Amino acid sequence: MYAIVNTGGKQYKVNAEDVIYVEKLNVNDNDNISLDVVAISGKNGLVLGDPLVKDAKVTGKVLKHGKAKKITVFTYRPKKGSKRKLGHRQPYTKLLIEAIEFDGEIEKATNKREDKKVDIKKAVKRENSKKKDNKTSEKKATKLSLIHISEPTRLLSISYAVFCLKKKKKKK
């Protein structure tokens, strides 16, 4: 089940357990909030509201407030010697969608999702194990032994590295 909610003049497609970033709301951290439902999918298919769906409820929890990355706004007038450089950080509210309710159906978040940090060494090991399974990639891996590839860039595709090898051979 998913719902399309309206907040801050924008619409977001959400499921239970989703974490979304919306325009800043005037609520405190860890408060529960109810969002306006524009459309919802349930047992009977997609139901559109006019303008909102009756008896539909999406509840969320405010995780934190913050500011987005800084963007640079540069304006100038050609041939006038006039220019201006400004920075802007858009405030946001991070929400966890806890439940979607409609026609007696309730879809709740089972557990809180945590952001997973990817370990580069583990990712490289996984990629290397995939290479061993495929014979064609093994042949490409032997060609790659001619080039020294550092740990972070090893995640690049093999085909690009083979392309570089062919380029080097053509120069000789």
Side-chain angles (χ1 to χ4, degrees):
M1 177 188 303
Y2 70 89
I4 298 175
V5 296
N6 188 17
T7 179
K10 298 177 183 158
Q11 295 178 350
Y12 300 89
K13 180 180 176 183
V14 296
N15 293 315
E17 297 184 3
D18 278 356
V19 176
I20 60 172
Y21 294 87
V22 298
E23 295 294 319
K24 187 167 195 259
L25 302 171
N26 291 327
V27 292
N28 296 326
D29 289 353
N30 297 322
D31 282 353
N32 289 329
I33 188 169
S34 180
L35 301 172
D36 298 333
V37 181
V38 177
I40 192 164
S41 74
K43 293 183 220 174
N44 305 331
L46 185 66
V47 178
L48 299 174
D50 186 25
L52 302 175
V53 179
K54 295 178 183 175
D55 303 327
K57 185 177 179 186
V58 174
T59 57
K61 182 179 182 180
V62 176
L63 297 178
K64 73 172 191 172
H65 298 286
K67 288 185 178 181
K69 286 187 174 181
K70 183 177 248 186
I71 61 167
T72 305
V73 181
F74 185 79
T75 59
Y76 76 101
R77 292 174 189 85
K79 302 175 187 173
K80 302 294 181 195
S82 171
K83 57 188 173 183
R84 179 176 63 174
K85 183 178 179 182
L86 296 171
H88 175 72
R89 293 182 66 188
Q90 185 69 24
Y92 67 85
T93 300
K94 185 177 179 181
L95 294 177
L96 170 69
I97 304 301
E98 290 182 329
I100 299 174
E101 301 174 21
F102 181 63
D103 278 346
E105 281 185 74
I106 299 173
E107 186 176 335
K108 291 187 177 183
T110 54
N111 56 4
K112 293 183 180 179
R113 296 193 318 187
E114 296 179 10
D115 296 334
K116 295 181 181 178
K117 293 183 179 178
V118 177
D119 186 16
I120 293 175
K121 291 180 182 178
K122 288 181 182 177
V124 168
K125 285 181 184 178
R126 266 188 264 128
E127 187 171 313
N128 288 340
S129 66
K130 288 178 187 176
K131 288 179 192 174
K132 291 176 184 175
D133 295 341
N134 192 352
K135 292 181 181 179
T136 57
S137 62
E138 258 184 52
K139 292 177 184 176
K140 290 179 182 178
T142 56
K143 291 180 183 178
L144 285 178
S145 62
L146 301 172
I147 299 176
H148 172 70
I149 300 175
S150 63
E151 286 291 320
T153 59
R154 191 177 288 174
L155 299 176
L156 291 174
S157 65
I158 295 173
S159 59
Y160 178 73
V162 171
F163 172 73
C164 293
L165 275 175
K166 289 179 182 177
K167 222 175 184 184
K168 280 187 178 181
K169 286 181 182 178
K170 286 181 182 178
K171 286 183 181 178
K172 289 180 182 180

